[in-house]
Amino acid sequence: MAKPKVALYWAASCGGCDIGLLEIGENLLKLIDAVDIVFWPVAIDVKYKDVEAMADQSIDVCLFNGAIRSSEQEHIAKLLRAKSKIMISFGACAHQGGVPGLANMYNREMIMERAYLETPSTENPDKVLPQTSCQVPEGELKLPELFDTVKTLAQTVKVEYIVPGCPPEAQTTWMALEALINGQMPPVGTVITDNAKAVCDDCPRKRDVKKVKKFHRTHEIISDPEICLLEQGLLCAGIATKGGCGARCPRAGMPCTGCYGPVEGVIDQGAHFMNAIASVIDSNDPDEIEKIIEDIRDPAGTFYRYSLSDSILRRARV
Amino acid sequence: MSFEPKILAILCNWCSYSGADLAGTSRKKYPANVRIMRVMCSGRVDPVFIMKALESGADGVLILGCHPGDCHYTSGNYKTIRRMGMLKKLTEQMGIEDDRIRLDWVAASEGDRFAEIIKDMTEKVKALGPFPRNGGDNG
Ligand code: SF4
Ligand code: SF4
Ligand code: FES
C-alpha cells in the first residue's frame, strides 16, 4: 500500500504549532517512515505552484495550523481543501482564531495605524502603509490583503477533525497522528484529545467551595501550590476548557487560559467561562458585585483568549 | 419608514410574566416591538441567549425578574445580577451600546411599570438603530 500523503501548513500563527509537532520526539521517525510529507513550508521546499499542480484529493491528510486573516491564507486554505481528502484544524488558531483572533477587537484600519504609524518604535514620516499592489520599474508588486476580521479555518473551508491546543501537546498530536498512521480515524467532527471532559478533571489541586470575594491577576499574589487556583481568586479557565493537556498550566501554578477550546456541547467557550466565574462570586449585593467584577480588567481577553473568532459575537463593533 | 426595533424580553414566570399579564388585562398601551419569552426564573438566562438573540435578529434584549429578595426560588435573581454585571462589562468592551441590554425588575402587581419599561427601552433602542450583525462577514 502506498504511504499516505500528508501536507502541513501555517496561516496566521506564531510558528509554535510547527515546533509543537517536533515535541512528539522519536515518534517523529515513525511518522516519517509511515507517511510521505508532500508540503510543509517550515521544513521542505515545495512551492505553491507545486501544490496547484497536484491532482484534487491527492493529499490524504492536511494538518492546517493558524487562523485566516489574509487573502493569501484564505486562498491556500481553499487550495489545500481541494487537494486533500481530510482537513485537520491543528492548534487553537485554526480551531478558534487563537490569540490572532483577538485582533477582532479592532479593524484593519486601526491595526494598520497602530502597527505602521503609532507604535513608539516606528518612524514613518511619510505615513507609508502596505498596499496590495505597487508599481516599480520592474513591473507590479503584489501583497496579500489583510482582512478586517480574523476567521477560523472551519469558517473558511470544511474541516473533518480538530486537534486543539496552543500548541497541541505532544500526546494530543500523537493521538491524531497514530490514528492516521493506523488508518483508524475517529468519526468525522471529533475534537481529538484523550480527555473528553474538562481540564479540572486532570488537575491535582484540592477543591473545596468556590466562593470568591476578590479576583487577582496572576502577578498580584503568591498562590498556594495545592489549592484550586480559582478558589484563590485567579481566573482559571480549566472549568470551561476541554481536557487533554494533562492540566499543564495549573500544575505549574498558572491558571488555565483555555487553549484546548470548549468542553463538549458548549458553543461559546467565553460565555461558559464567564458564567462559571459569575457563579463563584460570593455576594448578593449589587454594589459589592460590581466592585468584585471591576477587578476583571479585560473580560474579552480573559474569557475569549483563544476563541473570539469562534464566539457568537465574533468581533467588537468598532 | 422609520426604524422599528425588535426587542426580545425574557420574563420570569412568577413576577414579571404576571406583571406583563396584568398590563394586558388592564389594557395598558405599550409598543408592539417586544417579543416575550417566558422562563421559570431570571436565573435561567444564560448570556448566550442574549448574544444569540442579538446575532439572530433582535436589536435589544430585556431581562425582567422578580425584585431582589422576591425571587420565587430565593436567589435566582442574584445570580442574574452577577451574570449580567459580567456580561455588561464584556459587551461594553465589545462596543455594544449599554441601552441594548437591560436587566430590570417587575412584580406581579406592576403592570404599569412593565408598560413603562417597554416604552422606555423601545425608544432608546430605536434611537440606536439596528444592531450591527454578522460582524465577521466584512472581509
Ligand atoms: S479551576 Fe483550575 S486550578 Fe481549579 S481545579 Fe480547575 S483547572 Fe485546577
Ligand atoms: S491548562 Fe489550559 S491553557 Fe494550559 S495547556 Fe491546558 S488547556 Fe491550554
Ligand atoms: S422567579 Fe422571578 S427572578 Fe427568580
Side-chain angles (χ1 to χ4, degrees), chain A residues 15 31 105 153 218 247 275 277-278 294 298 311 315:
Chain A
L31 176 72
M105 295 308 289
L153 182 62
T218 323
N275 271 342
I277 296 302
E294 224 17 75
D298 173 18
S311 66
R315 63 151 26 266

Side-chain angles (χ1 to χ4, degrees), chain A residues 105 147-149 151 271 274-275 277-278 281 283-284 289 293-294 296 298-300 304 312 314-317, chain B residues 46-48 51-52 55 78 81-83 85-87 89-90 93-96 131-133 135-136 138-139:
Chain A
M105 295 308 289
F147 292 163
D148 234 10
T149 298
K151 292 181 186 176
M274 194 164 73
N275 271 342
I277 296 302
I281 295 175
S283 172
N284 281 343
I289 292 172
I293 292 175
E294 224 17 75
I296 303 173
D298 173 18
Y304 293 96
I312 297 171
R314 260 213 233 178
R315 63 151 26 266
R317 273 63 185 167
Chain B
D46 188 310
V48 160
M51 297 174 185
K52 271 201 153 180
E55 282 298 348
Y78 292 121
I81 295 176
R82 294 193 288 267
R83 280 182 172 177
M86 202 89 97
L87 176 70
K89 199 164 179 222
L90 173 78
Q93 200 186 3
M94 298 286 283
I96 298 172
F131 178 72
R133 257 169 287 280
N138 47 5

Side-chain angles (χ1 to χ4, degrees), chain B:
Chain B
M1 219 177 72
S2 79
F3 164 66
E4 286 299 339
K6 288 194 190 86
I7 295 169
L8 174 71
I10 310 178
L11 275 49
C12 87
N13 183 52
W14 301 100
C15 291
S16 311
Y17 198 81
S18 306
D21 227 14
L22 182 64
T25 47
S26 35
R27 297 178 175 273
K28 297 281 174 232
K29 282 211 168 77
Y30 61 84
N33 302 65
V34 63
R35 319 285 197 269
I36 290 174
M37 171 175 142
R38 175 162 59 163
V39 288
M40 289 312 282
C41 173
S42 70
R44 175 67 183 92
V45 180
D46 188 310
V48 160
F49 296 0
I50 296 158
M51 297 174 185
K52 271 201 153 180
L54 291 172
E55 282 298 348
S56 43
D59 302 297
V61 183
L62 172 66
I63 296 106
L64 294 178
C66 312
H67 285 271
D70 291 347
C71 171
H72 189 77
Y73 306 99
T74 324
S75 61
N77 51 7
Y78 292 121
K79 184 169 161 184
T80 318
I81 295 176
R82 294 193 288 267
R83 280 182 172 177
M84 291 305 132
M86 202 89 97
L87 176 70
K88 282 284 214 165
K89 199 164 179 222
L90 173 78
T91 49
E92 184 193 340
Q93 200 186 3
M94 298 286 283
I96 298 172
E97 302 91 339
D98 190 52
D99 285 336
R100 288 200 195 271
I101 303 166
R102 173 166 174 177
L103 170 64
D104 220 319
W105 320 113
V106 166
S109 58
E110 293 179 322
D112 276 330
R113 183 177 159 83
F114 175 78
E116 273 316 309
I117 290 176
I118 300 291
K119 230 181 276 171
D120 184 61
M121 173 121 185
T122 305
E123 272 164 30
K124 285 180 172 151
V125 177
K126 206 173 196 164
L128 290 175
F131 178 72
R133 257 169 287 280
N134 300 325
D137 288 343
N138 47 5

